[in-house]
Structures are given as structure tokens and as C-alpha cells.
Amino acid sequence: MCPPASADAANQPFGPAEPATPAAPATPAGTGVPPGAAPHDNETFDPQSPDTETLALFAAQGDSASLDALLRAIRPDIVRRCGRFLLYREDAEEAAQDALLQVARNIHRFEGRSRFSTWLHTVVANCSRQKYRELKRRAAEQPTPPDEASAPERRPDPRTTSVIAGSKVDVLEALERLEQESPHLVAPLVYRDLCQMDYAEIVDRLGIPLGTVKSRLHHARRHIRPWLTSQEW
């Protein structure tokens, strides 16, 4: 199992990261603002715009109003995405809060070379998996009641009593094992089967050919299938 990620590391992608030195983003469609210009130099820009791609570009340039609007706009979607990893809503909401914090801290790394929604998938996936690791450690640290220590058959199944339960635990455990054995197979599996990204987005994010993405996804699914108690994959 991978060691817990640091606050900034939680936002690092499985594949190639955005370069640390941000370049000026391209002009967002409809804003009429040239690259590098102050976002509010143009009166047509509305920080309350639902266009999260545009908000992300301006937030990456350091505009705090755009960042605030962006965080408000994406929160419901982030909670929903985290729910693909974590069964219970309270866990998904905690992971979503972590993801929002990572967006706020690292938005300057977003250069606009790919869609913000694609960049965000990496943040969500890493924060969700990190939340799972925290929950697992927390459960492992809980002492076993004395009356149950001598009766293993009566001890509760952690998959039905911990905050995370059900088949998603099997999937997350399988991902941890896959990361130890074949780490290059993890990202395509997470992006395609959990984040439900299009192949074009995965190719763009990982910087590898489509055929390689499909090949790695096939091998990843074959690897983890025997480790799952359900037959959903």
C-alpha cells in the first residue's frame, strides 16, 4: 500500500503532472481577455459564470473571485464523483472537502492545456483513495472489545461496520494491491472505470497512445478480477 500522500501530493496525477511553472492560459472563449491580462480588465467577464473551464483559467491566474466561484460551482459534482469511490455520503463529503482544498492550493498548476474537468478527476481520485486509507487506518487502530477477542466468529465484519462497506471496499483494496504489483495499470483503471472518463480524456491526461490505454485497462481488469468478491468487473 502506498504511504499517505502529503497535502500537496494528494493533487499529483497518476500520470505526467502539469509543469510546475504555469504558462499564461489561452483566452477563455467569450471573454475577450488576452493571455496574461487581469481577469477583470474586461467588463464582460462574470465571476459567477457557470462556465467552470473559464473560471478555472482565471483562478489559475490568481483571481480570487474566480476561485471562490469555481469552488462553489464544482462542490456538488465533486461530492458525486467521490461517491463513486466511497459508499457512504459522509465519507464522500469529507473526501470532497479535501479535494476542494487541493484545488484551492494547487489551481496555479492548472495551465489549460487540457480541460479543467480532466485535471479535476485526478484530484478527486487521489483524495478519495487517501480518505479510504485514513478510514482503514482508523478502523485498524480501534481496540477489539474483550468479549469479542476470544470469539473471532462473533467479531463484526469491518466491511459492514466501518464507514466504508460493500463491494467498493473490495475495489479499493484491489487498487491498493494493483499499485504494489503493477503501478502503471492503476491510472487507466481508475480513470475509466471509477472516474468514468472518456478515452480521449485519459489519453490527454496520461500522455500515452489510445492503444496503450486500452491495453493497460484490459490487463488491469484481468489482474483485479480474481481479487473481487463480486463479479461486477
Side-chain angles (χ1 to χ4, degrees):
M1 183 176 299
C2 294
S6 65
D8 287 338
N11 191 36
Q12 297 305 308
F14 296 106
E18 295 271 3
T21 304
T27 303
T31 63
V33 181
H40 295 300
D41 286 349
N42 185 283
E43 295 181 356
T44 63
F45 174 70
D46 178 7
Q48 301 301 321
S49 168
D51 183 354
T52 56
E53 299 294 330
T54 300
L55 288 174
L57 288 171
F58 281 93
Q61 289 183 335
D63 183 63
S64 58
S66 298
L67 177 59
D68 290 343
L70 176 67
L71 296 177
R72 288 195 301 270
I74 64 178
R75 188 184 187 283
D77 185 53
I78 287 184
V79 173
R80 179 179 58 82
R81 294 190 194 191
C82 289
R84 294 174 182 169
F85 292 83
L86 302 164
L87 182 64
Y88 288 103
R89 183 173 180 84
E90 55 264 36
D91 296 335
E93 288 179 343
E94 286 186 15
Q97 195 63 32
D98 293 340
L100 288 169
L101 179 61
Q102 293 307 315
V103 171
R105 287 180 174 176
N106 296 288
I107 188 63
H108 65 280
R109 297 181 180 178
F110 175 66
E111 295 186 357
R113 295 181 181 179
S114 61
R115 290 180 59 82
F116 172 72
S117 59
T118 302
W119 184 82
L120 186 60
H121 275 302
T122 297
V123 181
V124 170
N126 286 337
C127 286
S128 296
R129 294 185 64 201
Q130 179 61 26
K131 177 56 61 177
Y132 166 71
R133 294 175 184 134
E134 292 175 6
L135 292 168
K136 186 177 179 181
R137 284 198 309 270
R138 193 184 308 166
E141 292 169 357
Q142 293 178 353
T144 303
D147 59 337
E148 294 179 356
S150 60
E153 70 280 359
R154 294 178 53 196
R155 296 176 63 177
D157 182 348
R159 286 188 297 189
T160 59
T161 57
S162 63
V163 199
I164 32 183
S167 62
K168 291 186 181 181
V169 170
D170 299 318
V171 172
L172 289 167
E173 279 297 303
L175 287 174
E176 297 299 294
R177 184 172 174 181
L178 182 65
E179 193 159 41
Q180 291 180 347
E181 298 185 6
S182 303
H184 65 290
L185 301 180
V186 174
L189 186 70
V190 169
Y191 287 153
R192 181 61 179 173
D193 288 348
L194 289 174
C195 295
Q196 300 177 358
M197 290 170 63
D198 293 335
Y199 280 112
E201 290 182 287
I202 300 173
V203 167
D204 181 65
R205 187 60 183 158
L206 298 181
I208 57 179
L210 176 60
T212 303
V213 170
K214 290 185 174 181
S215 175
R216 291 183 181 180
L217 180 60
H218 170 74
H219 288 299
R221 287 170 173 169
R222 189 180 64 182
H223 263 72
I224 73 166
R225 190 171 291 115
W227 305 336
L228 301 178
T229 58
S230 65
Q231 298 300 316
E232 55 189 279
W233 289 26

